[in-house]
């Protein structure tokens, strides 16, 4: 019985000493080399640094990371202007949930979208657009904004006075102060946000 099946399927199965040429002639492509496992790429991407010559730039110096949040300091023209609060370091499985990857990012005022409409309604006297952190991997529109809870940051950078037990205090007043300092620069110049991990 075995010899019958062997004769029946022999023209489809390459013998152990088949050359690659014979294999191709029979319409089969067999890769006899071991499969090399592809090294996974980090979803966080590489750290990119921009040329800051002639540009205005903010520094977000992170100072503390926990399982629940990331704390830092926002520095503008050698002065600390706010405490920052973000989500924790994102996992490879969920790169869009957590803090923004360490890198340099261009910023500008974004004058459209739902968040812009909300802030324009809340702060009509000063609001001219959301402070948009551009070209962040896995995040379309992360902003520098007001907020207290890192669990609700959703990739944004929250600004406030200080952090107590993972909660950002005096965020709204700090945001308005920061916004007024940055608004004119963002309206006419290229501004870069440089994020530094601890």
């Amino acid at each position: 019985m075995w010899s019958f099946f062997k004769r029946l399927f022999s023209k489809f199965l390459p013998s152990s000493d088949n050359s690659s040429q014979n294999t191709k002639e029979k319409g089969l492509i067999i890769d006899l080399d071991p499969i090399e496992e592809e090294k996974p790429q980090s979803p966080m991407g590489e750290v990119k640094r921009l040329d800051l010559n002639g540009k205005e730039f903010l520094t977000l110096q992170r100072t503390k990371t926990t399982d629940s949040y990331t704390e830092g300091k926002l520095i503008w023209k050698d002065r600390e202007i706010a405490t920052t609060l973000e989500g924790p370091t994102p996992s490879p499985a969920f790169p869009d949930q957590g803090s923004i990857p360490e890198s340099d990012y261009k910023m500008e005022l974004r004058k459209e979208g739902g968040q812009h409409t909300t802030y324009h309604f809340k702060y009509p006297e000063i609001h001219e657009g959301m402070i948009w952190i551009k070209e962040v991997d896995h995040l379309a529109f992360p902003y520098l904004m007001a907020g207290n809870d890192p669990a609700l940051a959703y990739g944004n950078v929250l600004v406030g006075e200080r952090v107590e037990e993972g909660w950002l205090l005096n965020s709204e007043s700090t945001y308005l102060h920061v916004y007024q300092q940055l608004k004119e620069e963002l309206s006419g110049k290229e501004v870069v946000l440089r994020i530094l991990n601890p």
Side-chain angles (χ1 to χ4, degrees):
M1 179 67 71
W2 167 246
S3 61
F4 169 76
F5 283 107
K6 186 175 181 180
R7 288 196 305 274
L8 181 63
F9 292 104
S10 61
K11 60 181 179 179
F12 300 108
L13 299 173
S15 61
S16 59
D17 61 349
N18 271 349
S19 68
S20 60
Q21 182 64 32
N22 289 336
T23 302
K24 290 178 181 177
E25 287 175 356
K26 292 178 180 178
L28 300 174
I29 300 175
I30 299 177
D31 186 358
L32 300 179
D33 293 330
I35 298 174
E36 184 176 334
E37 186 175 348
E38 187 175 329
K39 295 181 180 178
Q41 297 295 316
S42 168
M44 303 304 108
E46 295 182 3
V47 175
K48 301 173 185 175
R49 294 300 180 209
L50 301 174
D51 182 4
L52 299 180
N53 286 333
K55 296 184 178 70
E56 299 290 349
F57 68 95
L58 280 162
T59 300
L60 195 171
Q61 176 62 67
R62 289 174 174 147
T63 57
K64 181 179 180 180
T65 300
T66 73
D67 292 338
S68 303
Y69 64 88
T70 302
E71 183 179 342
K73 301 295 182 185
L74 193 64
I75 300 166
W76 172 246
K77 297 183 177 179
D78 299 321
R79 292 187 302 108
E80 182 183 317
I81 60 173
T83 295
T84 61
L85 192 64
E86 305 170 79
T89 302
S91 68
F94 301 101
D96 59 340
Q97 299 178 19
S99 59
I100 294 174
E102 177 184 26
S103 212
D104 287 357
Y105 302 98
K106 295 178 181 178
M107 304 175 74
E108 69 177 49
L109 293 178
R110 184 169 187 261
K111 303 180 180 182
E112 57 186 347
Q115 202 68 259
H116 166 66
T117 301
T118 298
Y119 272 54
H120 183 70
F121 179 79
K122 290 176 67 175
Y123 315 117
E125 296 84 6
I126 71 164
H127 184 78
E128 295 182 10
M130 296 301 297
I131 301 177
W132 178 22
I133 305 167
K134 300 179 63 179
E135 299 175 0
V136 178
D137 291 342
H138 310 289
L139 294 170
F141 302 111
Y143 300 122
L144 202 68
M145 58 188 298
N148 308 102
D149 187 352
L152 302 177
Y154 303 117
N156 298 297
V157 177
L158 310 181
V159 295
E161 183 183 347
R162 65 186 185 279
V163 174
E164 288 187 6
E165 298 180 353
W167 192 259
L168 190 59
L169 303 181
N170 298 330
S171 179
E172 187 171 77
S173 59
T174 302
Y175 171 78
L176 294 174
H177 178 67
V178 169
Y179 191 90
Q180 288 175 320
Q181 292 187 71
L182 298 180
K183 179 174 65 172
E184 185 176 345
E185 302 286 352
L186 287 164
S187 298
K189 298 179 182 178
E190 184 174 299
V191 179
V192 172
L193 175 65
R194 171 159 288 184
I195 297 180
L196 302 172
N197 285 342

